[in-house]
Each structure stands twice: as structure tokens, then as C-alpha cells.
Amino acid sequence: KGTQLARKATDRTEQKRAYTYQQALEVVSLAQNIKNGTDIIILLKTGLRRSELLALRWENIDMENKIIHVRESVSETGGGLEIHPCKSTKSIRDIPFDDELYDIFSKMKQTGFVIKGQNGKNMNPHNWSYKRYAVVNKKIQQTAEQKGIALPLLNPHELRHTFGSILYERGVDIVTISKLMGH
């Protein structure tokens, strides 16, 4: 009685797409030469949710130990943007990062929010997705095409999915992946 079947194809959840390990390496390489490409690199290398990325402050990045402390997320309200604690205790987590991301962070201005809008403040998630992420992603696609490389166009959540998939393919156990992703 409690189980319902999908009535049509659009009722089913779509299969999430992800980059292969090689594609992810190519995206990171291409993104390094594109304005605001760091946004995509951070997502691919940390598995952060969009709301967590846009709430991330430099005070939550431990450069010495190479750890991101995920403690907050951002959401849109009728009165504007609201920074609030993570939605669940599992979402509060620490994510280690590699030397490549360390080098990227080292070149950024380390005050306030990691991802800043033109006013130096944090960005509205909707505006970030359509005015910044989409632009950067399109430039990566175009550069890849010029090099004869085919890359699917992925949304921010699919970059998060890529992070988990790559960890799994590289032998990380599912419990650790779950903790790193805040599940």
C-alpha cells in the first residue's frame, strides 16, 4: 500500500551524471585559466553543496592542516540571503583538501567569503548558478571542444556527485565518502 510506482518517465528521478576521473582532471586543468574557474575546482575537489560553497568563509579553512570546516550554508529568503548553520549534524563536517587546492586558495584574497560577488559579499545562489557557474562552465566546454575533448555539461550537484564517484572508484569506503559529503 505504501509504495507508489512512477506513472510516467518524468516522474522517475533522473540518473545523476558525473565526470570520469580523467574528465575531472581535464576540467580542473581548464578551469584554472578561466575567471572564476576556482568555483568549479572547489566543488569538484570537495563535494560541497552549492549552498555550502557560497557560505564558506576563510575562517573555516585551515590552511595549515589543509581542512575545510563545513559549518554553514546560505539560502534565499524573502528578505534576502540568510547564512545559517548546516541543516543537519551530518552536514557539519571537515573535508581535507589537496596541494593543488591549497595552491589555489593561497592565491586568493583570504578575507570574508571564499566566493564573493562584485560587492565583496557572498553571492545569491540563483545568481551564482546562472550568472557565474553557467558562464564558467560554458567557457570550459568551449575550450575543451577547441582541444577536441568532449565533456558533458554538468550542474553543480553533479560535480558533487563526481566527487563521491571518484572517491569510490579510487577505493575509498562508502562510510568515509558519506561522512565527507555530509550524508
Side-chain angles (χ1 to χ4, degrees):
K1 231 184 181 187
T3 304
Q4 291 184 340
L5 299 175
R7 294 190 183 127
K8 54 188 174 188
T10 56
D11 289 345
R12 293 187 211 118
T13 51
E14 289 183 27
Q15 179 75 19
K16 287 289 180 198
R17 298 172 306 149
Y19 289 128
T20 64
Y21 179 66
Q22 289 301 344
Q23 288 173 324
L25 289 176
E26 190 64 42
V27 169
V28 168
S29 175
L30 295 172
Q32 288 183 20
N33 300 313
I34 295 172
K35 182 181 177 187
N36 299 320
T38 53
D39 298 15
I40 288 178
I41 296 169
I42 295 168
L43 288 175
L44 271 173
K45 288 184 162 282
T46 64
L48 289 172
R49 294 175 177 94
R50 174 184 73 167
S51 61
E52 295 166 341
L53 173 70
L54 297 176
L56 186 61
R57 303 171 202 250
W58 283 106
E59 65 197 53
N60 295 111
I61 298 180
D62 178 347
M63 291 293 285
E64 186 177 330
N65 296 303
K66 295 192 249 180
I67 296 173
I68 294 173
H69 303 288
V70 182
R71 302 293 183 265
E72 298 174 305
S73 64
V74 66
S75 60
E76 298 174 67
T77 65
L81 296 181
E82 181 180 300
I83 303 288
H84 45 81
C86 290
K87 64 181 180 176
S88 72
T89 55
K90 288 183 178 182
S91 293
I92 297 169
R93 62 201 189 277
D94 296 330
I95 303 170
F97 57 89
D98 63 13
D99 291 338
E100 187 174 29
L101 196 50
Y102 177 89
D103 291 342
I104 290 167
F105 284 154
S106 295
K107 294 173 187 164
M108 296 171 75
K109 186 175 180 183
Q110 297 181 6
T111 58
F113 291 97
V114 176
I115 305 300
K116 299 174 183 73
Q118 290 180 339
N119 60 6
K121 296 184 179 183
N122 66 323
M123 293 188 70
N124 171 303
H126 180 79
N127 288 345
W128 177 85
S129 291
Y130 293 97
K131 293 182 180 175
R132 188 155 154 170
Y133 177 83
V135 170
V136 171
N137 209 7
K138 193 69 177 163
K139 287 180 182 175
I140 289 170
Q141 295 295 312
Q142 290 169 343
T143 306
E145 283 177 23
Q146 290 168 359
K147 292 182 164 198
I149 301 166
L151 291 173
L153 198 61
L154 301 185
N155 66 42
H157 193 75
E158 289 169 328
L159 296 185
R160 178 173 157 76
H161 184 70
T162 297
F163 172 78
S165 297
I166 288 172
L167 289 178
Y168 184 75
E169 287 171 10
R170 306 205 48 89
V172 178
D173 67 274
I174 200 76
V175 172
T176 301
I177 294 169
S178 181
K179 286 179 183 176
L180 288 172
M181 295 184 73
H183 288 158

